Amino acid sequence: MTPIESIVSDIKMSEKPARTRYAPSPTGSPHVGNLRTALFSYLLARHTGGQFLLRVEDTDQTRLVPGALQDIIASLRALGLDYDEGPDRASVARVDAAKYGTVDPALLPEEGGAYGPYFQSQRLDRYREVVDTLLDAGKAYYAFETKEELEAMRAAAQMRGEPFLYNRRYRDLPLAEARKRVEDGAPHVVRLKMPTEGPIRTYDALRGETVWDATTQDDFIILKADGFPPYHLAAMVDDHDMEITHVLRGEEWLSSSPKHFCLLQALGWEIPVFLHVPYVLGADGKKLSKRNGAKPVVGVIKDPKTGEDIPGYVDHDGVLPEALFNHLALVGWSPGEDLEIMPKEELIARFDANRISRSPGIFDLDKLYATNGVYLRALAPEDFARRALPYLAKAGLVPEDADDAAVQYAADVLALEQERLKTLAEAPQATEFFFRDLPEYVEKSANKWLKPQGAAEYLSDLGAALVDASPWDAQTIESVTREVGARHGRERGDITHPVRVAVSGREAGPSLFDMMAVLGRERVLARLRRAVEIARA
Ligand code: GLU
């Protein structure tokens, strides 16, 4: 084998333009934990002025889930992880629609890029060619055990309490003889000849060198019985052919590094920088799951246990994509200063892959919502209203075909809540009372503020005084209310609380007089009348 030093491109990150990729298998909608690795790859490529690719690893045909590809592409789009190269419209149309479901062409670029196809299922000839090169060079061999035989061997190893290692039975069978058996139709796989003793050295940008004992390693399969390559071969071939310089992938692949380094050495190819990104845990320190935040960006994930649909942060919960982007970048990475709020451009400028943490990243939902609140408050009010309006429509508070006046009213209502919301999905609950003919009165609040002696008279007088209040603005409403309150011998909270409950049904909400100004005179008077009825009942 070629000495490793001559083919490892670099161990540390540098500022050279990096070509990185996200290489999902279309087996479901990706959750935020998976996308965090994509996001780091994206930031590295953008920071160094390189390229970010999307490659679809669809060689395991039994695990394809229709619709998953659409969700993957829609998630990248929604999060703002625009890829420079990846599946294009024509190649998506070429893949079997029944297997993948359809992908909205609007999400796809017209052209894919110069290194395609970006579906592994369309690169099978190339894998075959690489496998043949290895066979011809005596670096790989055909093996003829059936699946059943292998399972029996595995079971026997288990009984002995040993890890299963293939016994290399066909390693020395002459190639001509093996080829003859293949031609005669014998079921077969192809395996790589791994070193049988001594150290195997691998490198990782975060961990440096790791030395593995060759006797713990298998002559692993590089071409399966169905003619498809496994991940180990396909990913290495593609990363090489697509000129990927930095392979950022999940920590679960770390233990496969000896396979990958030996394969690349056998091929004499330059070894890219590998960086195994640590796992993502929830705030409870447990593996990210539905309960602690493993949700998709858009679309739904099926809960593996209950079959329940888990909806997305962006399209369902109303987390802004830019806030999710910001939050995810800080799951397992930090700029080295105590900074929480960094928009995409700033993250790109500051990103340093050497600072990716070696311990698991924490996806903390409270922090995500707090960050989202900051982003919501920073939106221009019109933009905030534009983004929140669909949530009100979905909840049936504003008609889909609302006229200009209704849209303006909704925008005024939303402006009152912009400071207070953590997600857009909270908007309907927070503003519902603005849109009903009369609010629903919370019984406890009504008992506390409308029922006591004198409340009915106070509210009734206030109604009378507000009939002529002019202009109808927060300032005038406030002075009228305070005047009437004082006439009734009331002070501070005794002035405002009954009125708040009367006009909104609840004790908490936006600033009282602003809220009354937005509600408008008609609604306020009708609500005061209703509150007086409740007070007297
Ligand atoms: N298809 C692999 C996965 O989904 C990709 C791993 C990699 O990035 O190389 O885990």
Side-chain angles (χ1 to χ4, degrees), residues 21-25 55 57 231 235 239 247-250 252-253:
R21 85 298 190 280
Y22 177 46
S25 303
R55 178 173 78 228
E57 302 214 325
Y231 167 80
D239 287 341
V247 174
L248 272 62
R249 59 182 184 181
E252 66 274 18
W253 293 109

Side-chain angles (χ1 to χ4, degrees), residues 290-506:
K290 178 204 164 193
R291 218 174 27 80
N292 58 10
K295 305 209 292 181
V297 175
V298 293
V300 294
I301 296 183
K302 281 249 177 276
D303 186 314
K305 286 202 195 106
T306 61
E308 206 184 320
D309 281 346
I310 306 167
Y313 281 110
V314 168
D315 54 347
H316 182 270
D317 295 359
V319 170
L320 299 179
E322 49 273 47
L324 186 55
F325 189 105
N326 184 157
H327 180 69
L328 273 182
L330 296 174
V331 175
W333 177 80
S334 94
E337 291 164 60
D338 197 10
L339 282 170
E340 294 283 341
I341 304 299
M342 280 171 286
K344 185 174 175 179
E345 290 314 318
E346 190 179 345
L347 285 164
I348 290 174
R350 287 178 179 268
F351 190 70
D352 174 1
N354 292 307
R355 297 196 54 87
I356 293 176
S357 162
R358 264 192 280 166
S359 41
I362 306 293
F363 185 81
D364 182 336
L365 276 171
D366 289 341
K367 272 200 187 157
L368 169 65
Y369 292 137
T371 299
N372 198 47
V374 174
Y375 277 82
L376 286 176
R377 289 193 286 281
L379 292 177
E382 320 72 74
D383 194 13
F384 175 74
R386 186 181 54 77
R387 301 210 207 191
L389 207 56
Y391 290 83
L392 300 187
K394 205 156 60 182
L397 298 176
V398 177
E400 298 280 356
D401 57 352
D403 60 19
D404 290 352
V407 170
Q408 186 56 52
Y409 177 63
D412 292 344
V413 168
L414 286 165
L416 295 178
E417 286 293 343
Q418 184 169 357
E419 288 293 313
R420 297 155 39 86
L421 295 186
K422 293 242 169 76
T423 68
L424 295 172
E426 290 171 354
Q429 210 278 330
T431 62
E432 167 188 56
F433 65 87
F434 281 94
F435 299 99
R436 310 266 180 228
D437 281 344
L438 287 170
E440 278 177 33
Y441 290 89
V442 176
E443 201 179 324
K444 209 172 117 235
S445 308
N447 285 342
K448 184 162 170 204
W449 295 107
L450 305 182
K451 294 285 188 185
Q453 268 244 299
E457 293 69 26
Y458 167 47
L459 295 173
S460 156
D461 265 7
L462 178 61
L466 286 174
V467 170
D468 299 319
S470 174
W472 183 261
D473 59 20
Q475 213 187 342
T476 315
I477 298 167
E478 173 161 9
S479 68
V480 171
T481 307
R482 296 212 182 278
E483 221 172 85
V484 177
R487 258 201 333 256
H488 283 255
R490 291 174 172 259
E491 282 178 6
R492 283 189 224 110
D494 279 346
I495 296 181
T496 51
H497 291 322
V499 183
R500 176 180 289 285
V501 174
V503 299
S504 73
R506 17 173 127 162

Side-chain angles (χ1 to χ4, degrees), residues 22 32-42 248-250 277:
Y22 177 46
V32 287
N34 312 131
L35 287 164
R36 199 272 317 247
T37 307
L39 190 136
F40 284 172
S41 296
Y42 174 85
L248 272 62
R249 59 182 184 181
V277 182

